[in-house]
Amino acid sequence: MANYFVGDIQGCNQELQSLLAKVDFNPSKDTLWAVGDLVARGPDSLKVLNFFESLDGSARVVLGNHDLHLLAIYNGLKRAKASDKLEKLLASERLPTLIGWLRQQPLMQELPEHKLIMTHAGVPPQWDLPTLRAEAAAVHMALQQEDYFELLAFMYTETPEAWSETLQGKLRLRYCIDALTRMRYLHSDGRLDFKCKTPPEDCKEPDLHPWFELPSHLEDHTLVFGHWAALMGKVDHPLRIALDTGCCWGEHLTLWHLENREKISQKRMK
């Protein structure tokens, strides 16, 4: 029995299947964890969603910003861009079923016996575990409601930047979505920054810090995340596992074997 964590797939199904073949992934005994952004920019978003849906209990998934954007497109709130390469998915007769499956996926997953947490972008360092659980669960519950499209329509702004226990309603939900699916840098006072996307060594703003470099309530937990392709999986922290290595940008897809603490990669196929 093995736990495999895969970085941002973004429609790169060939690379995913090649990686799983390398490790002899067996869904009858192994578990595949995905850090989100299953869709968009790669050629086979439909195949990726079909595959994960078929895994049923052998897959553990969190939503990324591109997955949430797909839900917004499905609800007519946004238009798909040609660069998203979603044409086959949006034209599929299975689209309603796959959207229903996607809505069931949370923003965070846990493996308590390993003190491990998986989110798409990371965890705000000012959150402890009960706060993370509660805030992620609130978004998950909101996405199950018939009027979930109202939350999707509300998420396309960059406020509030700062966490506060006084946040209420959709503002509180929006902060959680932004923090868990879009976060890269934080200001020294903990406010989210959405402008800088460069790797830390290239960031010229002295007040900006990668979220994983600030003191955290979850310092003793392994945090597995994706989203930040510019990192190329390189984080100087033994318990921060970055898995987005830019497969959809021509680089490679990365799989992390928890039990061996080993990363395996698959170069983008042309």
Side-chain angles (χ1 to χ4, degrees), residues 93-105:
E93 63 182 14
R94 298 207 72 239
L95 180 62
T97 298
L98 295 173
I99 291 294
W101 174 84
L102 201 61
R103 283 176 59 196
Q104 302 299 316
Q105 308 313 310

Side-chain angles (χ1 to χ4, degrees), residues 70-71 100 145 155 212 231 235 262 266:
L70 172 61
L71 295 179
Q145 308 306 309
M155 72 181 181
F212 47 79
L231 293 176
V235 174
E262 175 189 11
Q266 171 63 50

Side-chain angles (χ1 to χ4, degrees), residues 248-266:
C248 72
W249 301 111
E251 291 294 336
H252 55 277
L253 190 64
T254 295
L255 195 74
W256 182 60
H257 185 183
L258 167 62
E259 286 74 17
N260 292 346
R261 311 291 292 193
E262 175 189 11
K263 286 184 176 180
I264 306 102
S265 66
Q266 171 63 50

